[in-house]
Amino acid sequence: MTAAPLPPVAPEVTATLVEDLSPRLRKRLDAAVTKLGSRPTHRDGDTVTIAVDDDTELRLHAPGGVVATVDAITCGCLLAPACVHRAAAASAAPAADPAPEPAAEPAAESAPDAAPDPAAQPAAPTVPDSTPLPNSTPSLGDTTPPTAPALATAPPSTPVTVPAPDEATPAQREAAAALWSAGAAVLEAGVAGAGAVAQAALLRAAHTARLRQLPRGASAALSVVTLLRAARAGDPSYRTADLVTALAELLGTAHRVGTASGAELAAVRGRARRPYSPDGSLRLYGLFTEPVVTDSGHGGARTWVVTADGRLCTVGDVAPGGVGRALGVADRIVRLGDTALTHRELGRAGLAVSGATVSPDGRLGAGKGVKAVTARGAAWTEPPLAALWETPPAEQAARALRSVSRYAEPGGGGSDLLFLDIELLGAVGESGGTCLLARCDGGVPVRLAVADDDPALAHRDNLMLLATAPGTRLRIIGRLVPAPHPRLTLLACSHPTGESTVDLGFDRLSRADLPNPGAPVHSAPDRPGGPGAESPLHLLERRVEQTVPAGRAALGMLGDVTAEARRLRRAGLPTAAGLLTALRASAARRERDLFGRLLPADTDGFAAHWLAATRYTASVAESLCAAAWEPGPAVPTHGPTEATAPRPAGSPR
């Protein structure tokens, strides 16, 4: 019997099966999930069968690839259908994405790639109006986070009408309250305690939010479930920072539904699909092509093009297949109209497109009404491409930072690409390996890192070869890496001879291409005194991250933080010190009743403190990144003052 992956299960199916379990079986659910994970499976058409034991089989019927109803999961044991096996199978399977509304225009990509839909970007939770103090719960606006309802009393899953654009409906506020409660419960328990029952509460809240026209909150809840399962399964690709971001997105989005209005509320609600809008006739100029390889096993290529008025757009082809598919797709015909250009050819040529459709993030649609013919391209030194390099690096970095921010608003637009003229300085060693040091306009030193370390791609070899040619001047395209020092992943560059361009993921340079082949590798030290060079912000970031794996109680037992708060204040970060003190106090606080018995922990209050600290650290980290790109004299080593980052009003100075 061959192993087969379990099909995705609709969130409402998993939630219903878990809710229907008796309290006794809920206690056994996590163990049952673990046991099923080790049992053999096989697929027969649309049905996947799990051998529970030698005499019992569990079946998941997934027509269309998704288990969409409770009755589609059947078990042959004597206790079925009230057994724990059905709920365990649903909890072990991936959570299915909600079925999207029909798109106005199919995207050129056949699967998600590394440039996600802006509607799926993390929310920007509101920073409290005042810095939380150890003995008070921070205010998050006009409403207080609601008390977490019991799993069995989750909001009914009934569709509602589309609300008015200026304010959230009572049903939407109720759905947002369920999202907040489910997220706060995960933060309370930590990864170790957020088993199948807590995940089912998130799935129920996600389903209700989707039905009540809150797709952004629903997507955030599903992301938290996926990351929780990866963490509990020991997935090597799991990173605690990803779960921190996802939880902050969930809590921040849920809170803002009750306080936002107008355009802000529309952004908080989000979009269920990526809309493609007509854009008439476009003249496109190829810029470069990059390989796309995702952690989910997808691979392909994305070609960047520029319109006559300077807008960046992309044409992509990404599907399951990994790096092997990425290498093959680069030389396939672009799926856009009747053009005969491959992706790599389009990166250096042009297109004239009629009937074009474009998504808010610049993806070009490939519908039947789109017509495209090959046209002349432009060199990077010719209009309209040359204008990309005319913007000062600091302005480009600020724009890119808004695009990659963990809490960027959906539909904010912008690209994370930077276009720089640089002089190569040589290789520089780092804790994670070696990168290429360069100097751009204004004398700002920039570290150029490898975009993808896969040896099948040319990124690593090209970067190491360029490191042997110090003094070479190049025109480059890179993707911003948020860091306290200027840093990019290198994607494309002008050829060292100046005769063409190089797609650094696909094209391989040789020593004969360098102006001074064989030059020694230069080792350059880090720029001393740069913004954030010794910023103690990590003291607060560490406590924020420590909460997620083990929950609130673990943070409360970590001991006194007075010395850490004192160090933050000496560094000019009093708000960070106040947030750290309040977070630790909230984690440790447990009230007692008149008889000395412990009362339930203030889950909502702790979640509010944690959210404030998470949002603050992200804001300061982004301000450090933006300041690092500014030319001029070095900034004091203690990092930025709090005036350089958003801060809660009324916080201590």
Side-chain angles (χ1 to χ4, degrees):
M1 186 177 294
T2 58
L6 298 182
V9 177
E12 64 271 22
V13 172
T14 304
T16 299
L17 288 171
V18 174
E19 291 165 0
D20 289 344
L21 291 177
S22 66
R24 180 179 63 86
L25 290 180
R26 286 190 194 179
K27 294 179 181 179
R28 297 172 49 191
L29 181 56
D30 288 333
V33 171
T34 302
K35 180 180 178 180
L36 281 185
S38 63
R39 301 300 300 167
T41 63
H42 76 274
R43 177 182 294 275
D44 182 10
D46 291 334
T47 301
V48 174
T49 301
I50 305 174
V52 178
D53 53 41
D54 294 339
D55 302 317
T56 306
E57 288 187 338
L58 182 68
R59 292 183 174 86
L60 292 84
H61 184 54
V66 175
V67 178
T69 64
V70 171
D71 295 337
I73 302 180
T74 59
C75 182
C77 74
L78 295 177
L79 296 178
C83 62
V84 74
H85 302 131
R86 298 169 69 220
S91 299
D97 291 330
E101 302 171 22
E105 186 71 32
E109 285 94 348
S110 56
D113 60 19
D117 182 0
Q121 291 295 317
T126 304
V127 179
D129 293 334
S130 62
T131 300
L133 299 176
N135 295 318
S136 65
T137 299
S139 171
L140 282 177
D142 298 333
T143 59
T144 301
T147 303
L151 181 61
T153 59
S157 301
T158 53
V160 298
T161 57
V162 178
D166 292 334
E167 62 180 9
T169 65
Q172 286 185 325
R173 292 173 183 266
E174 183 183 9
L179 288 171
W180 173 279
S181 298
V186 169
L187 197 62
E188 171 74 16
V191 170
V197 174
Q199 294 167 25
L202 280 166
L203 293 173
R204 171 61 70 195
H207 177 61
T208 303
R210 180 176 64 87
L211 293 177
R212 296 180 177 177
Q213 311 300 323
L214 297 175
R216 183 173 178 179
S219 177
L222 291 179
S223 295
V224 171
V225 171
T226 300
L227 289 166
L228 281 173
R229 291 177 175 178
R232 292 173 63 86
D235 189 332
S237 66
Y238 166 77
R239 295 171 59 250
T240 300
D242 293 336
L243 184 52
V244 169
T245 300
L247 272 171
E249 174 190 357
L250 172 63
L251 294 172
T253 302
H255 163 67
R256 293 174 70 205
V257 168
T259 61
S261 61
E264 182 187 1
L265 177 59
V268 172
R269 285 171 177 155
R271 292 191 298 266
R273 58 181 173 85
R274 182 190 304 118
Y276 282 77
S277 57
D279 208 346
S281 297
L282 294 177
R283 179 68 166 87
L284 304 177
Y285 299 85
L287 192 58
F288 76 102
T289 300
E290 64 171 323
V292 176
V293 182
T294 70
D295 293 336
S296 61
H298 289 75
R302 183 195 298 115
T303 298
W304 290 81
V305 295
V306 179
T307 64
D309 58 359
R311 287 181 295 154
L312 287 169
C313 298
T314 59
V315 182
D317 184 352
V318 182
V323 68
R325 187 178 189 278
L327 293 171
V329 164
D331 293 314
R332 291 185 187 177
I333 301 299
V334 173
R335 293 186 293 172
L336 190 66
D338 299 323
T339 177
L341 293 174
T342 66
H343 278 275
R344 294 175 71 176
E345 290 171 342
L346 175 58
R348 297 175 175 85
L351 284 178
V353 182
S354 62
T357 57
V358 185
S359 72
D361 59 348
R363 303 191 190 197
L364 292 166
K368 295 180 179 179
V370 179
K371 307 296 181 184
V373 296
T374 303
R376 177 185 176 277
W380 286 4
T381 55
E382 300 174 349
L385 304 186
L388 297 171
W389 280 266
E390 294 174 359
T391 304
E395 293 184 24
Q396 293 192 52
R399 179 258 304 151
L401 191 59
R402 290 192 296 270
S403 174
V404 302
S405 170
R406 284 185 287 174
Y407 306 107
E409 290 290 351
S415 163
D416 57 357
L417 300 183
L418 269 69
F419 306 87
L420 305 176
D421 290 306
I422 63 165
E423 178 186 354
L424 300 181
L425 300 179
V428 60
E430 296 182 322
S431 58
T434 303
C435 69
L436 178 59
L437 191 67
R439 181 186 295 111
C440 68
D441 293 343
V444 176
V446 181
R447 296 192 179 205
L448 307 175
V450 175
D452 194 313
D453 256 324
D454 195 301
L457 300 174
H459 288 296
R460 168 65 64 181
D461 292 342
N462 284 333
L463 187 138
M464 291 297 96
L465 190 61
L466 290 173
T468 66
T472 302
R473 294 196 61 85
L474 296 174
R475 178 160 279 194
I476 68 167
I477 301 174
R479 178 167 286 117
L480 178 72
V481 177
H485 54 268
R487 188 178 186 87
L488 304 174
T489 52
L490 190 56
L491 302 175
C493 70
S494 58
H495 196 280
T497 63
E499 296 178 354
S500 61
T501 61
V502 182
D503 295 333
L504 291 166
F506 293 120
D507 303 329
R508 290 189 180 272
L509 292 168
S510 66
R511 290 195 175 275
D513 295 319
L514 302 181
N516 298 305
V521 175
H522 172 69
S523 179
D526 192 10
R527 178 175 62 164
E534 297 181 7
S535 171
L537 184 64
H538 68 275
L539 298 174
L540 179 57
E541 291 175 323
R542 180 178 60 183
R543 299 304 187 188
V544 165
E545 288 202 3
Q546 284 175 336
T547 306
V548 172
R552 176 197 56 78
L555 182 62
M557 294 186 294
L558 287 178
D560 186 59
V561 294
T562 302
E564 297 175 8
R566 187 182 302 115
R567 182 178 170 189
L568 287 166
R569 288 192 177 91
R570 285 201 306 264
L573 299 172
T575 303
L579 288 169
L580 176 60
T581 302
L583 181 65
R584 165 63 177 77
S586 179
R589 186 184 306 121
R590 288 296 301 273
E591 303 292 342
R592 295 181 180 271
D593 63 14
L594 295 176
F595 299 99
R597 295 171 299 191
L598 282 174
L599 296 173
D602 184 8
T603 302
D604 292 328
F606 176 71
H609 284 289
W610 183 87
L611 178 59
T614 304
R615 184 64 182 94
Y616 173 86
T617 57
S619 297
V620 175
E622 289 167 10
S623 74
L624 285 170
C625 179
W629 284 89
E630 293 288 347
V635 179
T637 57
H638 61 253
T641 63
E642 294 189 345
T644 63
R647 54 176 284 134
S651 56
R653 294 184 180 275

